[in-house]
Amino acid sequence: MSAAKFEEIGQALRENQRFAVLSHVRPDGDALGSQLALGLSLKKLDKEVQIWNEDGMLEKYSFLPQAELLIKPPGEPEDVDVIVALDTAIQNRLGTTLQAVRSSKLCINIDHHPSNPGYGDLVHIDPKAPATGQILFELIKSQKLPIDSAIAENLYVAISTDTGSFQYPNTTARTFEIAAELVRAGVDIGRVSQLIYENYPRRRVELLRDLLGTMRFEANDRVASFSLSLGMAGKLGILPEDNEGLIDHLRAIRGVVVAVFFEELPDGKVRVSMRSKSEKVNVCAICEKFGGGGHVLAAGARVRGSLAEVEKRILEEVRDVVSRSS
Ligand code: AMP
Ligand code: MN
Ligand code: MN
């Protein structure tokens, strides 16, 4: 993958004035934390910074320092010098934010998804990095960009959430060193951990109860899945963000190699989320067959069809791959 050096990116950040810092739809902690961290650092350089996400700030991440700076894109397009796309594997996952940019001179693409094709002018993709937040920390450090406790906390949340709280195999010694540096820069671990992991709305756990009612196993209990229908979502009044991480309950089962979560969407598609516990089972490759992407051990896709149809097609493919892997 073509890799723009941090020096080139650092220079582009210093030399330009107007920035749009963007990330993917259905954002996660890495997307929102990374957007705020880079946006705040640029603001400290006295840049004009727009931090836009199609979905705006999620309620569950509204504790992030300066969360109010992250907004939905405006209806009236604006001119900027530089677009920075963070943590976004395919350009179209930037959603409507691109339509809010009337003109730009440069697009910088910083990401850790191996499936990222490298769109943009200055591209830095590091598939070994467990989070885009980790790449941003290295960029900020090497280019001596501003960092303060608010930036540190945003980076910490980005890294903590994308590593499953420092548990996934792409978590390295360097990740812990960075976490230590972020703590030194002012992150209050106890406080921030509670805000991320012990502050769920009750409806999220009620949703888990209903999801577990649909749980099924196949391929000798090596594949586990559950499904969220529109009816279930309506009954519980859940928000799209409520189900982030629930798939981990399936992954956590002994013997399960692949966990799959199906979510019926109002647009006639199904959002498929997949997790693998074995490097031998590449769920990114499975999801790419259905137009999606992601990482070897965590991937997703949006597939047209009814819930039942999509479940059948996807589970057939997963069963095949899992059977061939053993
Ligand atoms: P999720 O299951 O939504 O947490 O996504 C897991 C991983 O797959 C993330 O790294 C996403 O960026 C990626 N991913 C999810 N959905 C899609 C999609 N529709 N297209 C491409 N990549 C996706
Ligand atoms: Mn993400
Ligand atoms: Mn990420």
Side-chain angles (χ1 to χ4, degrees):
M1 184 54 66
S2 58
K5 294 199 176 67
F6 282 153
E7 288 70 32
E8 291 176 79
I9 295 176
Q11 195 181 356
L13 297 179
R14 285 181 194 284
E15 281 176 357
N16 288 284
Q17 186 55 30
R18 297 168 305 171
F19 293 85
V21 180
L22 314 178
S23 188
H24 59 82
V25 297
R26 292 289 294 252
D28 47 26
D30 191 24
L32 297 172
S34 291
Q35 282 189 270
L36 282 169
L38 183 63
L40 290 173
S41 188
L42 288 168
K43 274 186 167 284
K44 292 197 95 168
L45 290 173
D46 286 328
K47 307 296 183 184
E48 295 162 40
V49 188
Q50 309 296 348
I51 310 177
W52 292 331
N53 191 291
E54 176 175 320
D55 293 312
M57 179 47 72
L58 305 184
E59 178 195 298
K60 66 190 280 197
Y61 286 118
S62 56
F63 68 86
L64 288 170
Q66 310 271 316
E68 66 283 358
L69 295 179
L70 191 149
I71 57 171
K72 291 185 179 174
E76 188 63 24
E78 294 181 21
D79 298 311
V80 301
D81 300 316
V82 180
I83 294 172
V84 189
L86 298 173
D87 194 47
T88 305
I90 336 179
Q91 202 169 4
N92 71 15
R93 294 210 359 118
L94 294 171
T96 53
T97 57
L98 279 183
Q99 289 145 33
V101 179
R102 184 164 38 215
S103 68
S104 66
K105 295 190 287 190
L106 188 75
C107 175
I108 303 177
N109 171 358
I110 300 175
D111 189 21
H112 66 131
H113 293 95
S115 59
N116 191 312
Y119 61 89
D121 308 302
L122 280 181
V123 181
H124 187 99
I125 295 157
D126 179 359
K128 286 214 167 70
T132 298
Q134 175 159 332
I135 305 173
L136 285 184
F137 177 86
E138 305 284 23
L139 172 70
I140 285 171
K141 270 280 143 165
S142 80
Q143 298 309 302
K144 302 195 167 51
L145 299 173
I147 185 162
D148 60 14
S149 62
I151 295 167
E153 189 163 313
N154 278 299
L155 289 176
Y156 183 85
V157 173
I159 296 170
S160 175
T161 54
D162 248 29
T163 56
S165 210
F166 303 91
Q167 293 181 55
Y168 301 154
N170 53 6
T171 309
T172 63
R174 182 68 190 140
T175 315
F176 285 99
E177 283 162 8
I178 290 171
E181 286 208 47
L182 294 173
V183 173
R184 278 187 210 105
V187 175
D188 178 343
I189 293 291
R191 185 185 146 273
V192 82
S193 300
Q194 244 184 40
L195 288 168
I196 307 171
Y197 301 113
E198 298 181 338
N199 199 30
Y200 296 125
R202 173 177 153 179
R203 61 175 187 269
R204 183 181 194 267
V205 184
E206 289 169 347
L207 168 63
L208 176 61
R209 179 171 56 194
D210 282 11
L211 284 175
L212 291 175
T214 75
M215 177 171 65
R216 68 237 137 183
F217 295 88
E218 36 219 306
N220 283 329
D221 291 356
R222 286 184 301 155
V223 178
S225 61
F226 53 35
S227 302
L228 169 56
S229 64
L230 283 172
M232 206 189 278
K235 184 190 79 178
L236 294 172
I238 62 160
L239 301 176
E241 67 195 69
D242 288 333
N243 63 53
E244 187 189 347
L246 290 180
I247 191 172
D248 292 342
H249 290 276
L250 297 178
R251 181 190 4 219
I253 300 167
R254 181 169 59 219
V256 166
V257 179
V258 175
V260 193
F261 174 49
F262 298 95
E263 177 189 356
E264 189 179 20
L265 300 175
D267 64 357
K269 291 186 181 173
V270 175
R271 171 174 170 264
V272 182
S273 213
M274 246 181 245
R275 300 291 184 267
S276 166
K277 273 153 83 181
S278 162
E279 297 282 343
K280 285 199 255 172
V281 179
N282 178 351
V283 288
C284 182
I286 299 176
C287 288
E288 278 178 336
K289 283 197 172 174
F290 294 90
H295 312 270
V296 173
L297 302 181
R302 279 173 191 234
V303 185
R304 184 161 294 286
S306 71
L307 193 53
E309 281 160 15
V310 175
E311 284 167 358
K312 185 164 173 292
R313 286 174 57 203
I314 296 272
L315 288 173
E316 260 168 31
E317 183 68 28
V318 174
R319 266 198 307 271
D320 260 21
V321 174
V322 168
S323 312
R324 271 188 271 123
S325 74
S326 57

